[in-house]
Amino acid sequence: QVQLVETGGGLVQAGGSLRLSCAASGRFFSRYNGGWFRQVPGKERDFVAVIRASGGTTIYADSVKGRFTISRDKDKNTVYLQLNNLKPEDTAVYYCAASSPSTILSSLRDLDRYDYWGQGTQVTVSA
């Protein structure tokens, strides 16, 4: 079992930065791919970024590429999402998720491939 807890959300002005953290319990989390998704009320949950268990491969949604950076610290069992140059359209609840190490690379954008989810953290960007 893996339990995920996100922290670091908040209110920030456009152009500002935040760093989200996803702390995991469960000694096997280091073997999982760590992903971030976001959701706006009334809309589907969208893929943001994912990092492979090895940390060597990352994938980003086009809308955040060049502004967001995903990373992980295996010693701390934590996955991070650095959000820079934030825009009002980045406002959403951000969710951390874990996907089995057997998930193929091309499927890591699919939320159905994720087995564990955190409770979410709100990010609000004002204009």
Side-chain angles (χ1 to χ4, degrees):
Q1 278 284 3
V2 174
Q3 293 183 325
L4 306 173
V5 177
E6 303 98 331
T7 56
L11 172 64
V12 64
Q13 289 187 331
S17 298
L18 286 172
R19 189 175 81 155
L20 307 183
S21 299
C22 173
S25 63
R27 60 193 178 114
F28 297 113
F29 177 69
S30 63
R31 301 180 187 179
Y32 281 75
N33 304 300
W36 287 94
F37 289 75
R38 65 186 182 186
Q39 189 170 23
V40 175
K43 295 191 176 181
E44 293 184 350
R45 193 170 295 187
D46 291 330
F47 169 78
V48 175
V50 64
I51 187 167
R52 277 290 205 187
S54 65
T57 300
T58 57
I59 303 172
Y60 295 92
D62 289 343
S63 58
V64 307
K65 203 173 294 183
R67 300 188 298 121
F68 293 6
T69 303
I70 190 170
S71 60
R72 70 190 302 162
D73 185 330
K74 289 191 175 182
D75 291 337
K76 295 183 178 180
N77 243 15
T78 300
V79 174
Y80 302 97
L81 187 68
Q82 178 68 40
L83 290 65
N84 295 331
N85 191 21
L86 281 160
K87 304 176 181 180
E89 51 263 43
D90 294 319
T91 295
V93 177
Y94 283 71
Y95 295 91
C96 175
S99 173
S100 166
S102 64
T103 304
I104 61 175
L105 194 64
S106 60
S107 295
L108 286 173
R109 296 173 183 263
D110 299 333
L111 61 85
D112 291 342
R113 298 293 183 172
Y114 289 79
D115 305 301
Y116 302 100
W117 291 87
Q119 82 290 346
T121 185
Q122 176 71 46
V123 171
T124 303
V125 184
S126 62

